[in-house]
Structures are given as structure tokens and as C-alpha cells.
Amino acid sequence: MTEPIIVVEHVTKQVADATGTLTILHDIDFALRPRESVAIVGASGSGKSTLLGIIAGLDVPSSGTVRLDGHDLFAIDEDARAELRSRKVGFVFQSFQLLANLTALENVMLPLELMGRVDARMVATEMLRRVGLGERLGHYPKVLSGGEQQRVALARAFVVQPALLLADEPTGSLDFATGERVMQLMFEMNREAGTTLVLVTHDRGIAARCDRQLRIEAGRLSADTASGSPAIAPAVVAEPAATP
């Protein structure tokens, strides 16, 4: 049996507010295998994004812990968590989170440079070509469309060959057609890389493409089900891309 890449153990998150103590997450337990794709679904305010932040080690639970590839995230300090994230985790956000003063190529090179990779330019260039942006290398985010920016973000996430990809509403800022193309590309790249995918989404269609769905209701894990949806067709990305 393959060892889990992520183990979430009795995670509870509480914060103080004007009325006392608010419980955002309550005793969450689950494990994810390598190469598995999982959608975290639920209503707004149910605790989905908080859970994703804790899985990443960006937020600290009130109790419980998370093990990433055998490492207890909350038994080590923030510097050690940051170093582990840089090697093991890729991120894709709704708001892209690109650095405005860096070109597409420089944005994708950055995590490689932080790792000390001397081949950062070559590897980043190839990854941008992979997402159909080989002729946008020198463009800054402000002159790229939303779909192009999200593909730069995908390239940046996958360029370090992460064991785990965390995506928080990655199509939330895109129109339907552009979001569909981005998701096709994300799932295709995820399969090619053999990455474990954890995806927060409100979109039932996107959630159904994952192997499993974890439903969060009022901070509790109310369901853990297999999606059982058919595999999607490979994405076709033209170069240069001209999508919106």
C-alpha cells in the first residue's frame, strides 16, 4: 500500500470574535495518496480555504496536525515549513498572485532561482512553452489576459515538480470558456507530473473531474466520496495563445 502524501489528523481551527470563540474547522481527518486528485467543496464560509491554508502550513490549527510526505508540519518552525513548501508544494490561486514587476519568464524562474537552480531560465522557458506561452516570455502580467496569467501561474506551480498542488478557486476570476481551457490544462499537467491535487471549488463540474470529493459543512467533514467521472480529453493549447 502506498504511503499517503498528506495526512490530516484531528484538525480544529478556532478564532476569537466579539461573541467568544468561533470554530471554523472541527476535528477534520483524512489522508490523500500520491497522484490522487481531490476537490474540497461546500458553501462559502464553510472553512474550505482555511483547510487548504492549514494543509499548506500557511495557517496553524488550534489542535491537530498535518503530515506532508511524512513531515509533521507543525512540529517544525515556519522557516522549515517554508523550505518544505518550496520543494514539495505548488500553488494556484484565483487572483493569480503573479509579481507585477516581473515578466512571465521571471515569474516562473523565481521558485527555481530560490532553490539555487542554475538552469532556471531554460526550465522556465520550456514550461511556458508547455502551457502555450512561448511567445509571451517577456510580457508583464498587466499586458496578459486573465487566462494567460493563470497559465503563467500554472507554469510557476508545476516548474518545481511538486509532490502536491494546491488550487484555490483557480477559475474564479475567469469567464466560463477560459476557465474550462485552464482546467483542462491543469488536469492534463497534473496527470503528466503525477502530482497530488487538492482543489477548492464551487463548480460541481470541476469537482466531478477529481477522484474524490470532500464536503465541508459548517466546519465539519460531512462526506468523503469517490467522483467516478470519466477522464477528460487532453487540452490542446495553441502557441502563441490567443485565448481571452
Side-chain angles (χ1 to χ4, degrees), residues 97-218:
Q97 299 287 353
L98 301 178
L99 296 178
N101 63 326
L102 299 183
T103 64
L105 178 59
E106 290 166 343
N107 266 282
V108 179
M109 287 174 59
L110 183 59
L112 295 170
E113 291 177 327
L114 291 174
M115 295 170 66
R117 293 278 296 269
V118 297
D119 59 348
R121 179 173 294 273
M122 179 186 69
V123 174
T125 299
E126 287 303 313
M127 184 58 72
L128 283 165
R129 288 174 178 161
R130 170 65 185 84
V131 301
L133 295 176
E135 296 192 7
R136 304 287 196 271
L137 303 180
H139 288 61
Y140 289 90
K142 67 180 180 180
V143 299
L144 298 174
S145 70
E148 288 171 336
Q149 289 186 62
Q150 195 59 298
R151 280 189 277 143
V152 174
L154 279 178
R156 183 182 58 188
F158 279 106
V159 78
V160 296
Q161 299 181 312
L164 176 67
L165 178 67
L166 303 178
D168 193 358
E169 297 286 0
T171 62
S173 297
L174 306 175
D175 64 79
F176 175 80
T178 303
E180 180 69 12
R181 287 190 288 270
V182 166
M183 289 310 303
Q184 290 272 11
L185 183 60
M186 176 184 289
F187 278 104
E188 183 183 341
M189 293 177 70
N190 194 66
R191 287 195 304 269
E192 291 174 359
T195 302
T196 300
L197 171 64
V198 182
L199 170 68
V200 168
T201 184
H202 285 94
D203 189 312
R204 292 182 181 180
I206 292 174
R209 297 177 183 182
C210 295
D211 300 323
R212 288 166 61 189
Q213 296 183 41
L214 305 178
R215 179 166 293 279
I216 306 295
E217 294 182 354

